[in-house]
Every structure is written in structure tokens, then in C-alpha cells.
Amino acid sequence: RSVDDFCSERHWMMHVGPEKGGILRRELEGRLREVFPSSCSSKRRRSLVCVELGTYCGYSAVIITSTLAKASAEMAKAPAGPEEDSKEADMHLYTLEADPRNASGARDMLALSGMAEFATQIAVDVNHRGDAIDDVSDLIIGAARARREEAEQVVADFVFIDHDKDAYLPDLLRMEKSGLIRRGTVVVADNVIFAGIGDYGDYVRKLEVEGVVATRTEMAGIEYGEEDKDGGPGTKDGMEITTYLRDPPSAPPLSLLP
């Protein structure tokens, strides 16, 4: 709350903000319910992978990790299923940031919130034009495998995109091609209205026509913006919420992945 007060009253910052932050939390909670159903009649999954492109100062990372922490605590209280020897699940966020100053601030915010154990920060090297040198998918998959000490295929259950607006679609396509995005993955993309990210919207709507995804634009106000005369948001924005109903066409067969 203190961060929101500061941004509203003293200095505007491009955090996702409380309104869109609420949407982000709600969508992640929905995905958690799908991955970890309350029923213990069958063996439950053991892990959930979240990805964030654009850590900035850590505001949205705290929203995501605190949601994971709450779900983890609730799961620990629930009785284990008949086929389970443990109720624990590994829920983790891999968050990428190109600006070292932002990454440092995010590290402090995650530590202050007590959520650092639920997040791995990944530095993105950029060239003189500000473009990422490495494929973001390689960075995410490499970090996940190193942390979990496993060679199994890494699949993102939940993705939040809020970085370089020109990179939304290229990085989504890279994640699809790498197999990081699969059936069931939920992708939330911020600023699609305010920043006019038309190519991204056109692409996911094309996938919807093809039956690959279900997607919708959830309208909201720009973070920390002034209200209009009717009390609504003065500057309109929106988040594109996309759920993959089947594997994207560019995803390789699982049998071909390392």
C-alpha cells in the first residue's frame, strides 16, 4: 500500500498498480486452482512455474510470489491424497530484467516482502539498441533446470508480460517455439491498450480463431492515473488474458525436447 500511495501522491512509476495487480492476482489464483485442485482423489502435480518478462522494481513479482506463498501454505494444511507421500509443491517465479538498477531494487523489494525464496531473478543482457542478446526462453529454461537440478522439460503454467512493448510478440513466439508455452499456459500481457500493442493482439486473436487459445482484453485504467469527471479511469488501458487450449502450432513435440 505504501508503494501505491507514493506513486499516486508523489512520483508516478510504471508498476502494474492496484487495479491491474488485482486482475493479475485473480488470474494466477485461477490457474493455481486448475493445477492444484482441492480434490485429493488422484495424484497431484508437484510443481508450478511462473514467468515474468520485465521485473522492473518488483511490484508485480511480489504480487505473484505472495500468491504462490499463500497457495503453498494452504496446500500444506490440506490432507495428502492416497497416492502422495508429501503435500509440498514447488511453486516458483522466474523473473527477467534487463536494467541492473531495476533488478537491484526488485531484489530489495522481494527481500522486504519476505518472498525472495519464491523467486529467481534472471539478468538479460542487451545490445546497443536495447534488444536482448539471448533468447528469453533459453534463460528461463536454463535457470529452472539449474535450480531444480532436473533435465525434464520446463513448461510455464503462468506468464506475465510487461517489458519492452516491441518484444511482446517476438518473445511470445520464442516461448512457443521452445516448448515453454503449452496447453494450459495462461499468459497475461499488460498495457495492450495504452501502448497500442496491435501485433500481439492480432496474433492471439488469430490463434483464437484457429482454436488454439481463448483470449480476452480486460479493460482497466492506467496505473496511478487521474479519474475522469464520472469517476472512471481517465486514461484507458487493458490486459490481454490468453489461455492456451492446446499446444501452439510452433511448439515441438515433447519427444524431441531435451
Side-chain angles (χ1 to χ4, degrees):
R1 178 62 186 273
S2 58
V3 174
D4 292 329
D5 290 343
F6 175 83
C7 294
S8 297
E9 300 169 6
R10 297 181 59 185
H11 180 71
W12 185 88
M13 298 180 73
M14 56 182 181
H15 301 304
V16 69
E19 181 184 9
K20 291 186 292 180
I23 297 171
L24 178 64
R25 187 185 299 275
R26 182 196 68 205
E27 294 303 316
L28 176 53
E29 288 173 342
R31 183 62 181 135
L32 281 162
R33 286 192 293 271
E34 292 173 350
V35 174
F36 303 108
S38 57
S39 172
C40 295
S41 59
S42 61
K43 192 176 181 70
R44 292 183 296 194
R45 275 182 48 181
R46 298 295 183 150
S47 64
L48 181 130
V49 173
C50 294
V51 169
E52 178 181 44
L53 304 185
T55 316
Y56 188 42
C57 296
Y59 184 105
S60 49
V62 170
I63 291 175
I64 294 170
T65 52
S66 62
T67 304
L68 298 182
K70 179 181 177 183
S72 180
E74 291 175 349
M75 183 175 294
K77 296 177 183 177
E83 300 178 31
E84 296 177 313
D85 55 9
S86 172
K87 297 176 291 185
E88 294 184 1
D90 181 48
M91 306 181 192
H92 204 75
L93 168 67
Y94 299 90
T95 180
L96 288 76
E97 176 58 46
D99 189 325
R101 296 167 298 180
N102 289 344
S104 177
R107 189 172 297 108
D108 291 341
M109 184 171 284
L110 283 163
L112 286 170
S113 67
M115 294 294 115
E117 67 177 290
F118 288 91
T120 295
Q121 292 184 249
I122 303 172
V124 179
D125 293 326
V126 296
N127 60 23
H128 67 282
R129 295 189 302 272
D131 300 323
I133 295 173
D134 298 311
D135 187 320
V136 295
S137 296
D138 292 339
L139 295 173
I140 296 161
I141 293 170
R145 286 181 174 159
R147 175 180 168 270
R148 294 161 60 181
E149 298 181 349
E150 297 172 357
E152 67 179 29
Q153 169 60 13
V154 178
V155 175
D157 296 283
F158 188 86
V159 178
F160 180 47
I161 304 178
D162 191 18
H163 64 331
D164 178 2
K165 308 312 172 188
D166 292 333
Y168 274 36
L169 180 56
D171 283 342
L172 180 76
L173 294 174
R174 291 185 181 101
M175 289 188 288
E176 286 186 347
K177 187 176 181 180
S178 71
L180 191 61
I181 287 179
R182 289 279 178 184
R183 180 174 63 88
T185 301
V186 174
V187 182
V188 177
D190 194 20
N191 300 132
V192 293
I193 301 299
F194 178 73
I197 312 174
D199 60 346
Y200 182 92
D202 291 344
Y203 175 72
V204 295
R205 282 186 283 276
K206 174 177 175 291
L207 290 184
E208 184 171 47
V209 171
E210 296 171 353
V212 178
V213 307
T215 193
R216 72 184 192 279
T217 306
E218 182 130 356
M219 299 301 296
I222 193 68
E223 51 269 22
Y224 312 117
E226 295 182 358
E227 296 181 347
D228 62 19
K229 60 183 179 62
D230 298 318
T235 304
K236 302 294 191 297
D237 197 10
M239 305 178 93
E240 191 70 23
I241 301 167
T242 305
T243 301
Y244 281 74
L245 306 177
R246 54 187 175 91
D247 290 348
S250 58
L254 284 172
S255 60
L256 297 181
L257 292 169

CSV table of all heavy atoms in Angstrom, one decimal, residues 6 60 98 106 111 135 144 148-149 151 162 168 173 177 189 192 208 214 237:
chain,number,residue,atom,x,y,z
A,6,PHE,N,2.8,6.3,-2.6
A,6,PHE,CA,3.9,7.1,-3.1
A,6,PHE,C,3.8,7.4,-4.6
A,6,PHE,O,3.9,8.5,-5.0
A,6,PHE,CB,5.2,6.3,-2.9
A,6,PHE,CG,6.5,7.0,-3.5
A,6,PHE,CD1,7.1,8.0,-2.8
A,6,PHE,CD2,6.9,6.6,-4.7
A,6,PHE,CE1,8.2,8.7,-3.4
A,6,PHE,CE2,8.0,7.3,-5.3
A,6,PHE,CZ,8.7,8.3,-4.6
A,60,SER,N,5.1,-6.3,-9.3
A,60,SER,CA,4.3,-7.5,-9.7
A,60,SER,C,4.9,-8.8,-9.3
A,60,SER,O,4.1,-9.8,-9.1
A,60,SER,CB,4.1,-7.4,-11.3
A,60,SER,OG,5.3,-7.2,-11.9
A,98,ALA,N,16.3,-6.4,-17.7
A,98,ALA,CA,17.5,-6.0,-18.4
A,98,ALA,C,18.2,-4.9,-17.7
A,98,ALA,O,19.5,-4.8,-17.9
A,98,ALA,CB,17.1,-5.6,-19.8
A,106,ALA,N,14.3,-4.5,-7.3
A,106,ALA,CA,13.4,-5.6,-7.1
A,106,ALA,C,13.9,-6.6,-6.1
A,106,ALA,O,13.1,-7.2,-5.3
A,106,ALA,CB,13.2,-6.3,-8.5
A,111,ALA,N,13.0,-9.1,-0.9
A,111,ALA,CA,13.6,-9.4,0.4
A,111,ALA,C,12.7,-8.8,1.5
A,111,ALA,O,12.4,-9.4,2.5
A,111,ALA,CB,15.0,-8.9,0.5
A,135,ASP,N,18.1,-15.6,-26.1
A,135,ASP,CA,16.7,-15.9,-26.2
A,135,ASP,C,16.1,-16.1,-24.8
A,135,ASP,O,16.7,-16.8,-24.0
A,135,ASP,CB,16.6,-17.3,-26.9
A,135,ASP,CG,15.1,-17.7,-27.2
A,135,ASP,OD1,14.3,-17.5,-26.4
A,135,ASP,OD2,14.9,-18.3,-28.3
A,144,ALA,N,15.6,-22.6,-14.6
A,144,ALA,CA,14.7,-23.6,-14.0
A,144,ALA,C,15.4,-25.0,-13.8
A,144,ALA,O,15.3,-25.6,-12.7
A,144,ALA,CB,13.5,-23.8,-14.8
A,148,ARG,N,16.3,-26.6,-10.1
A,148,ARG,CA,15.7,-27.9,-9.7
A,148,ARG,C,16.6,-29.1,-9.9
A,148,ARG,O,16.2,-30.2,-9.6
A,148,ARG,CB,14.4,-28.0,-10.5
A,148,ARG,CG,13.3,-27.0,-10.2
A,148,ARG,CD,12.3,-26.8,-11.2
A,148,ARG,NE,11.5,-28.0,-11.5
A,148,ARG,CZ,10.5,-28.1,-12.4
A,148,ARG,NH1,10.2,-27.1,-13.1
A,148,ARG,NH2,9.9,-29.3,-12.6
A,149,GLU,N,17.7,-28.9,-10.6
A,149,GLU,CA,18.7,-29.9,-10.8
A,149,GLU,C,18.0,-31.1,-11.5
A,149,GLU,O,18.2,-32.3,-11.2
A,149,GLU,CB,19.3,-30.4,-9.5
A,149,GLU,CG,20.1,-29.3,-8.8
A,149,GLU,CD,20.8,-29.8,-7.5
A,149,GLU,OE1,20.5,-30.9,-7.1
A,149,GLU,OE2,21.6,-29.1,-7.0
A,151,ALA,N,16.6,-32.5,-15.6
A,151,ALA,CA,16.7,-32.3,-17.0
A,151,ALA,C,15.3,-32.4,-17.7
A,151,ALA,O,15.2,-32.3,-18.9
A,151,ALA,CB,17.6,-33.3,-17.6
A,162,ASP,N,5.4,-7.8,-19.4
A,162,ASP,CA,5.3,-6.4,-19.1
A,162,ASP,C,6.7,-5.7,-19.2
A,162,ASP,O,7.1,-5.0,-18.4
A,162,ASP,CB,4.8,-6.2,-17.6
A,162,ASP,CG,4.4,-4.7,-17.4
A,162,ASP,OD1,4.2,-3.9,-18.3
A,162,ASP,OD2,4.3,-4.3,-16.2
A,168,TYR,N,7.0,-7.9,-27.1
A,168,TYR,CA,5.9,-8.8,-26.6
A,168,TYR,C,5.7,-10.0,-27.6
A,168,TYR,O,5.7,-11.2,-27.1
A,168,TYR,CB,4.5,-8.0,-26.5
A,168,TYR,CG,4.3,-7.3,-25.2
A,168,TYR,CD1,5.3,-6.7,-24.5
A,168,TYR,CD2,3.0,-7.2,-24.7
A,168,TYR,CE1,5.1,-6.0,-23.3
A,168,TYR,CE2,2.7,-6.5,-23.5
A,168,TYR,CZ,3.8,-5.9,-22.9
A,168,TYR,OH,3.5,-5.2,-21.7
A,173,LEU,N,6.5,-15.7,-29.3
A,173,LEU,CA,6.8,-16.7,-30.3
A,173,LEU,C,8.0,-17.5,-29.9
A,173,LEU,O,8.0,-18.7,-30.1
A,173,LEU,CB,7.0,-16.0,-31.6
A,173,LEU,CG,5.8,-15.3,-32.2
A,173,LEU,CD1,6.3,-14.5,-33.5
A,173,LEU,CD2,4.7,-16.2,-32.6
A,177,LYS,N,7.9,-21.6,-29.5
A,177,LYS,CA,8.8,-22.4,-30.2
A,177,LYS,C,9.6,-23.3,-29.4
A,177,LYS,O,10.0,-24.5,-29.7
A,177,LYS,CB,9.7,-21.6,-31.1
A,177,LYS,CG,10.5,-22.4,-32.1
A,177,LYS,CD,11.3,-21.5,-33.1
A,177,LYS,CE,12.1,-22.3,-34.0
A,177,LYS,NZ,12.9,-21.4,-35.0
A,189,ALA,N,-0.8,-10.2,-20.6
A,189,ALA,CA,0.1,-9.1,-21.1
A,189,ALA,C,-0.5,-7.8,-20.8
A,189,ALA,O,-1.7,-7.5,-21.0
A,189,ALA,CB,0.1,-9.3,-22.7
A,192,VAL,N,-1.7,-3.4,-23.2
A,192,VAL,CA,-2.0,-3.7,-24.6
A,192,VAL,C,-2.9,-2.6,-25.3
A,192,VAL,O,-2.8,-2.4,-26.5
A,192,VAL,CB,-2.7,-5.0,-24.8
A,192,VAL,CG1,-1.8,-6.2,-24.5
A,192,VAL,CG2,-4.0,-5.1,-24.0
A,208,GLU,N,-7.0,-17.6,-31.6
A,208,GLU,CA,-8.3,-17.9,-31.0
A,208,GLU,C,-9.2,-18.5,-32.2
A,208,GLU,O,-10.0,-19.4,-32.0
A,208,GLU,CB,-8.9,-16.7,-30.4
A,208,GLU,CG,-10.3,-17.0,-29.7
A,208,GLU,CD,-10.8,-15.9,-28.9
A,208,GLU,OE1,-10.7,-14.7,-29.4
A,208,GLU,OE2,-11.2,-16.1,-27.8
A,214,ALA,N,-8.1,-19.3,-26.0
A,214,ALA,CA,-9.2,-18.4,-25.7
A,214,ALA,C,-8.6,-17.1,-25.1
A,214,ALA,O,-7.7,-17.1,-24.3
A,214,ALA,CB,-10.1,-19.0,-24.6
A,237,ASP,N,-6.5,1.6,-20.3
A,237,ASP,CA,-5.5,0.6,-20.6
A,237,ASP,C,-6.2,-0.8,-20.5
A,237,ASP,O,-7.4,-0.8,-20.3
A,237,ASP,CB,-4.4,0.7,-19.6
A,237,ASP,CG,-3.1,-0.1,-20.1
A,237,ASP,OD1,-3.1,-0.5,-21.2
A,237,ASP,OD2,-2.2,-0.2,-19.3
